[in-house]
């Protein structure tokens, strides 16, 4: 019985997402209105990710290329992890006020550390011999960075982008606190939507995060140079892969 | 079921305290400013949320560690299990915790239980992956030496492999702990209180946001340092090697 009731609530929530309902005040919630919330959710997330990538990837590539600033690149992601996303949004609201720009800025700050750290680690783990060979062939430093180090670092860079994107999608849920009506509107201003609307928003946000993870995971596999893919096809694959992840994850 | 649904509907986020701005310098407070006087007068109201926050974090990380540790030991013997465990915990890690709080509501209701289940689910991937990596990185020579001394598989695990994997395992604990401190600020959505409820209660008031947010960051730093100190204490050989 309770299982059925439990399934029922989810069924209602799914129905809410696709069809919506009219509140007692006569406003439409769910359905097409949910689509608008989703578009806003994706918009704020994408803008924040584009800005974060534009800042963090070149900086990470450059620091990795000159092999300097490991303290900055590594400790930034540790500090970033310790600052709660809610606190970050709240700081922006209290000090800069609400609005799309401020929320985007907060999300950019949240997204930078994993991308920067992974870009840096990705470049520094390119074999010295590879870089020396490129230099011996007469490539300029800029060409080495863009033609040798960047492609070899791409899988890790995409790993960082994936981590940040999922985190940004999750955090955009609390953006209505700062005046941007994302899917979190149904969670934070629950009186307008009811319990079903809130559950519907939770399902939508979860689905959005999983789809982002899967899409970027596929992109990560697609951009992995064939050389690395061949290398990782060896029996020692699991060990090198997990060590690599473990290294980026170590505080 | 119906009664609980009605209760949940009529009390959305009711546990969040209402704005109370008594005490301190009235002008500064009315201005939403950062007021040392108000903070000094009202600091005690942050103590209970802080204690609740610590409880949520410690309970979640402890349970998360117990589950991950058991899974890692099983997967250490049966290596084919690593991939599916990483996939399942990876999906749990991807789900935004705020969404999970509400997805769990119909099952576990409002309160600390819901928050802890969600936070445990989130910590599994981090801890499991680091334990597995740590065990994988144990030098084969150390294993051979242990076997040569006549250790059984179980003795080898507890006396050679796990001690050598401790730095990686503790690194995983540190990441899981700092991450959980951050995620637990959202636990008030599940009706579990914590520092996030304080932030949410008066998000425009700089004093409130700085104190509650600052306590969360401080808590992450203190717990991180505590685990690091514990790691130094139980792995004296790593310091000897570095020296």
């Amino acid at each position: 019985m309770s299982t059925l009731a439990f399934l029922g609530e989810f069924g209602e929530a799914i129905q809410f997402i696709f069809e919506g309902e009219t509140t007692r005040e006569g406003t439409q919630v769910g359905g097409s209105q949910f689509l608008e919330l989703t578009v806003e959710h994706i918009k704020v997330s994408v803008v924040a990710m584009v800005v974060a990538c534009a800042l963090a990837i070149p900086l990470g590539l450059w620091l990795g290329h000159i092999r300097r600033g490991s303290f900055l690149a590594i400790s930034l992601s540790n500090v970033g992890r310790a600052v709660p996303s809610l606190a970050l949004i709240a700081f922006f609201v209290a000090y800069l006020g609400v609005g799309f720009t401020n929320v985007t800025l907060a999300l950019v700050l949240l997204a930078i550390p994993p991308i920067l750290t992974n870009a840096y680690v990705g470049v520094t783990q390119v074999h010295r011999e590879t870089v020396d060979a490129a230099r011996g062939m007469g490539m300029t430093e800029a060409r080495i960075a863009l033609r040798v180090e960047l492609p070899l670092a791409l899988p890790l860079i995409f790993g960082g982008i994936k981590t940040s994107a999922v985190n940004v999608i999750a955090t955009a849920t609390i953006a209505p606190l700062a005046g941007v009506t994302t899917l979190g509107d149904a969670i934070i201003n629950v009186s307008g939507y009811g319990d079903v609307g809130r559950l519907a928003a939770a399902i939508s946000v979860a689905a959005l995060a999983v789809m982002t993870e899967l899409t970027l995971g596929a992109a990560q596999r697609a951009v992995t140079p064939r050389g690395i893919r061949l290398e990782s096809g060896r029996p020692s694959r699991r060990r090198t892969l997990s060590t690599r992840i473990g290294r980026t994850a170590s505080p | 079921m119906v009664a609980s649904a009605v209760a949940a509907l009529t009390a959305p986020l009711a546990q969040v305290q209402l704005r109370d701005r008594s005490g301190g310098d009235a002008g500064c407070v009315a201005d939403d400013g950062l007021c040392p006087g108000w903070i000094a007068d009202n600091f005690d109201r942050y103590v209970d949320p802080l204690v609740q926050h610590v409880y949520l974090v410690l309970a979640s990380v402890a349970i998360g560690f117990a589950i991950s540790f058991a899974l890692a030991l099983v997967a250490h013997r049966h290596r084919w299990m690593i991939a599916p465990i990483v996939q399942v915990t990876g999906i749990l890690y991807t789900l935004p915790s705020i969404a999970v709080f509400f997805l769990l509501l119909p099952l576990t209701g409002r309160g600390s239980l819901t928050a802890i289940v969600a936070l445990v689910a989130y910590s599994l991937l981090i801890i499991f992956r680091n334990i597995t990596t740590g065990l994988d990185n144990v030098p084969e020579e150390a294993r051979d030496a242990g076997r040569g001394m006549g250790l059984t598989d179980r003795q080898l695990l507890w006396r050679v492999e796990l001690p050598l994997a401790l730095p990686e395992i503790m690194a995983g604990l540190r990441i899981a702990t700092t991450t959980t401190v951050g995620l637990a600020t959202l636990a008030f959505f599940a009706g579990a209180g914590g520092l996030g409820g304080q932030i949410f209660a008066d998000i425009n008031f700089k004093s409130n946001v700085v104190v509650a947010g600052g306590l969360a960051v401080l808590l992450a730093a203190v717990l991180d340092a505590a685990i690091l100190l514990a790691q130094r204490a139980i792995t004296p050989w790593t310091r000897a090697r570095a020296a």
Side-chain angles (χ1 to χ4, degrees), chain A residues 13-251:
Chain A
I14 302 279
Q15 196 177 3
F16 183 94
I17 294 173
F18 290 106
E19 289 165 25
E21 54 187 49
T22 312
T23 59
R24 260 166 287 170
E25 292 81 33
T27 47
Q28 157 86 20
V29 288
S32 62
Q33 184 260 353
F34 239 57
L35 192 63
E36 284 168 33
L37 295 183
T38 311
V39 168
E40 189 72 4
H41 201 114
I42 294 174
K43 198 168 95 185
V44 74
S45 307
V46 167
V47 172
M49 282 306 296
V50 168
V51 176
C53 286
L55 292 172
I57 294 177
L59 184 62
L61 285 181
W62 180 64
L63 288 176
H65 181 73
I66 60 173
R67 310 227 166 201
R68 295 257 171 85
S70 70
F71 181 75
L72 172 77
I74 306 294
S75 61
L76 195 65
S77 70
N78 294 327
V79 175
R81 200 161 30 227
V83 178
S85 51
L86 177 66
L88 192 65
I89 298 272
F91 281 127
F92 270 74
V93 170
Y95 279 91
L96 298 174
V98 298
F100 189 88
T101 316
N102 290 344
V103 172
T104 310
L105 273 179
L107 293 179
V108 167
L109 281 188
L110 194 78
I112 285 178
I115 306 177
L116 177 64
T117 304
N118 274 37
Y120 175 84
V121 173
V123 170
T124 50
Q125 71 166 19
V126 172
H127 293 301
R128 263 282 154 87
E129 299 82 28
T130 314
V131 178
D132 284 344
R135 208 166 274 141
M137 285 170 66
M139 289 174 99
T140 61
E141 294 303 309
R143 274 173 71 90
I144 293 174
L146 291 178
R147 293 287 182 83
V148 179
E149 290 174 336
L150 175 63
L152 289 173
L154 267 184
L156 262 187
I157 293 176
F158 261 78
I161 294 176
K162 196 168 68 176
T163 308
S164 284
V166 170
N167 202 1
V168 164
I169 295 265
T171 307
T173 311
I174 54 174
L177 288 177
V180 177
T181 44
T182 60
L183 280 168
D185 197 42
I187 288 174
I188 285 157
N189 303 321
V190 67
S191 56
Y193 296 83
D195 271 6
V196 175
R198 197 170 53 181
L199 189 58
I203 294 172
S204 307
V205 171
L208 209 53
V210 171
M211 281 192 290
T212 307
E213 163 91 15
L214 293 178
T215 312
L216 289 175
Q220 185 179 13
R221 279 188 292 279
V223 300
T224 304
R226 212 185 307 156
I228 300 183
R229 250 182 281 175
L230 287 176
E231 192 184 319
S232 53
R234 288 181 198 158
S236 66
R237 172 180 174 268
R238 185 159 289 141
R239 177 163 301 182
T240 48
L241 194 67
S242 61
T243 319
R244 221 182 275 162
I245 295 168
R247 182 133 61 100
T248 47
S250 301

